[in-house]
Amino acid sequence: MSFKEKLSWSALVVTVVVWGFYFVRLAQMAADGTLTADGSRWMLFACVVALVISHAIGAIVAARSGPDADMAVQDEREQAIALKASNAAFLIIGLLLGGLSGFAYMYSVKHPDLLAGEPLSTAALIAVNGVVLALAVAEAVRHLVSIVLSRRIG
């Protein structure tokens, strides 16, 4: 397995675990009625820190587990894989953000009491977390497509 494939596997697992935890916990807080903007903000900050540290550890492990030749400049095959994976991620993020725009507005109008009756803060909370969700899903798709294409082509 090449360095780049190991890095993609690491990034895929870290992305799914960290953001999976974040959104499950966010849904639990919303269901319990304990969801606040401050609680969401601190949990988001903690998950970003965990994500950065986990990615750094994954990169170090991937770099130490293979020869230095694996970390060389990308060849045409790797560039094509990266381009196709990025195109898939861009499509996913565009679709998710477009759907989020309508959802945030409709949800904040129908449920203005989510955050103490302030529809603007409700819409902002939904929008921020929707963007984070869209980015996390797009990154997971990018790494998954990269892994699949590396296995298929390589």
Side-chain angles (χ1 to χ4, degrees), residues 53-98:
I53 292 169
S54 299
H55 277 304
I57 291 169
I60 291 168
V61 169
R64 293 202 173 205
S65 66
D68 289 338
D70 275 352
M71 292 184 283
V73 178
Q74 288 184 340
D75 61 10
E76 294 85 18
R77 179 186 68 86
E78 290 170 335
Q79 288 175 348
I81 288 171
L83 180 64
K84 287 179 183 179
S86 294
N87 286 343
F90 184 73
L91 175 66
I92 294 296
I93 200 167
L95 291 172
L96 289 175
L97 289 176

Side-chain angles (χ1 to χ4, degrees), residues 74 100 121 127:
Q74 288 184 340
L100 170 68
S121 64

Side-chain angles (χ1 to χ4, degrees), residues 6-154:
K6 289 176 193 172
L7 206 53
S8 286
W9 272 111
S10 170
L12 178 63
V13 169
V14 167
T15 300
V16 169
V17 169
V18 170
W19 294 120
F21 164 80
Y22 175 77
F23 286 108
V24 166
R25 185 67 188 120
L26 197 70
Q28 288 172 342
M29 289 169 59
D32 295 345
T34 59
L35 181 63
T36 63
D38 284 338
S40 173
R41 189 176 310 121
W42 281 108
M43 193 168 55
L44 178 65
F45 176 74
C47 285
V48 168
V49 169
L51 190 76
V52 169
I53 292 169
S54 299
H55 277 304
I57 291 169
I60 291 168
V61 169
R64 293 202 173 205
S65 66
D68 289 338
D70 275 352
M71 292 184 283
V73 178
Q74 288 184 340
D75 61 10
E76 294 85 18
R77 179 186 68 86
E78 290 170 335
Q79 288 175 348
I81 288 171
L83 180 64
K84 287 179 183 179
S86 294
N87 286 343
F90 184 73
L91 175 66
I92 294 296
I93 200 167
L95 291 172
L96 289 175
L97 289 176
L100 170 68
S101 299
F103 175 78
Y105 173 76
M106 295 303 294
Y107 191 85
S108 65
V109 167
K110 290 183 179 183
H111 303 284
D113 59 337
L114 180 64
L115 292 176
E118 295 180 33
L120 184 57
S121 64
T122 303
L125 181 69
I126 292 170
V128 166
N129 285 295
V131 168
V132 170
L133 177 64
L135 290 171
V137 170
E139 273 300 293
V141 166
R142 183 172 71 89
H143 291 296
L144 187 61
V145 169
S146 178
I147 291 166
V148 168
L149 290 176
S150 293
R151 292 282 170 126
R152 187 182 297 164
I153 295 173

